[in-house]
Amino acid sequence: IDQGFMIGVNQVGDAFSCGDAFLPELVMAGEAMKAAIEVLEPELARRGTQREILGKAVIATVEGDIHDIGKTLVGTMLSAAGFEVYDLGVDVPVSQIIDKAVEVNADLIGVSALLTTTMVKQREVVQAVRESSLSDKVKVMVGGAPVTPDWVAEIGADGYSEDAIGATAVAKELVGKKSA
Ligand code: B1M
């Protein structure tokens, strides 16, 4: 995924940002990436041999943002690692994320944002958790291409990873299970 698909999809993204490619190409790149990951998904899931439930994770792409490939990949990896994952999809309002976390008694909330304009919603999720009954229990992990360690520190999130494999290790640490 990292050494093949990501290189391809990033090339289209770069071409889009400098005006050499247009929205149809961006859409096609997204569809190709999804189709390619679908082929690998059963194998990714199969490799998650660990059966102990490590915790419950609610994941979503923030409101205003419809990029779902990275978030879904993180969800697949978390499930394979032993988390019970509730994937709320894309364009998800903060209140819906909080309500789901309360409903399922989550240990972890994971929010993805791919746009600089939607990253601010990650801050709102952190604030909403801190102001809710979840504050003592639930950790917030953020991710997505524009997310940096500086941003994570600024919004006070508990964890961050730049890719899906790292996200599993961070999630395990956040819920108090040492990473394998
Ligand atoms: Co859009 N898009 N897009 N796009 N798109 C980007 C993000 C962009 C960087 C392209 C560019 O200009 N170079 C740019 C954002 C610029 C910015 O904000 N600075 C952009 C734009 C501008 C837009 C639109 C506004 C275009 C328009 O309409 N004019 C529009 C926005 C729509 C919206 O959301 N409201 C738009 C739309 C789309 C498509 C729908 C066409 C399509 C998405 C299809 C889909 O998701 N089903 C699309 C695509 C494909 C891209 C690029 C090319 C690829 C994104 C992707 O799927 N990457 C992207 C360019 C790029 O990122 N270089 C781009 C593969 C995926 C596996 O990586 O999501 O980064 P990623 O996830 C990684 C890590 O980030 C991390 O792990 C994953 C796996 O390693 N990670 C986490 C992700 N979430 C995590 C959560 C975690 C932890 C780690 O914890 C919770």
Side-chain angles (χ1 to χ4, degrees):
I1 289 170
D2 283 347
Q3 291 164 24
F5 307 161
M6 284 298 277
I7 294 169
V9 82
N10 283 342
Q11 248 175 41
V12 180
D14 292 345
F16 177 78
S17 48
C18 61
D20 287 340
F22 300 92
L23 205 49
E25 281 93 359
L26 203 61
V27 174
M28 279 197 287
E31 292 303 313
M33 180 87 190
K34 281 175 93 164
I37 288 178
E38 253 175 53
V39 175
L40 295 184
E41 238 159 17
E43 179 63 13
L44 292 173
R46 194 186 65 79
R47 289 189 184 194
T49 49
Q50 202 166 351
R51 288 280 54 99
E52 179 201 358
I53 296 294
L54 298 181
K56 293 180 183 178
V58 171
I59 64 166
T61 299
V62 294
E63 188 171 14
D65 199 323
I66 61 166
H67 294 88
D68 75 340
I69 300 170
K71 177 269 302 161
T72 304
L73 198 51
V74 168
T76 303
M77 298 309 289
L78 288 179
S79 299
F83 281 86
E84 201 170 300
V85 176
Y86 299 84
D87 186 342
L88 303 184
V90 296
D91 190 17
V92 185
V94 176
S95 58
Q96 198 180 323
I97 297 171
I98 301 295
D99 288 351
K100 191 69 186 178
V102 171
E103 180 196 322
V104 303
N105 194 21
D107 304 286
L108 181 74
I109 290 175
V111 270
S112 187
L114 265 285
L115 300 170
T116 43
T117 49
T118 57
M119 284 166 75
V120 287
K121 292 285 172 187
Q122 293 182 327
R123 186 202 297 273
E124 290 180 25
V125 171
V126 173
Q127 279 170 350
V129 168
R130 303 288 178 250
E131 287 162 10
S132 73
S133 58
L134 300 169
S135 186
D136 290 336
K137 191 195 172 214
V138 176
K139 305 288 182 192
V140 183
M141 176 167 71
V142 294
V147 175
T148 61
D150 283 349
W151 172 247
V152 178
E154 187 185 323
I155 65 173
D158 299 299
Y160 145 79
S161 165
E162 64 178 24
D163 58 38
I165 305 278
T168 305
V170 171
K172 284 181 184 173
E173 286 196 25
L174 289 178
V175 301
K177 308 277 176 182
K178 241 189 146 22
S179 186

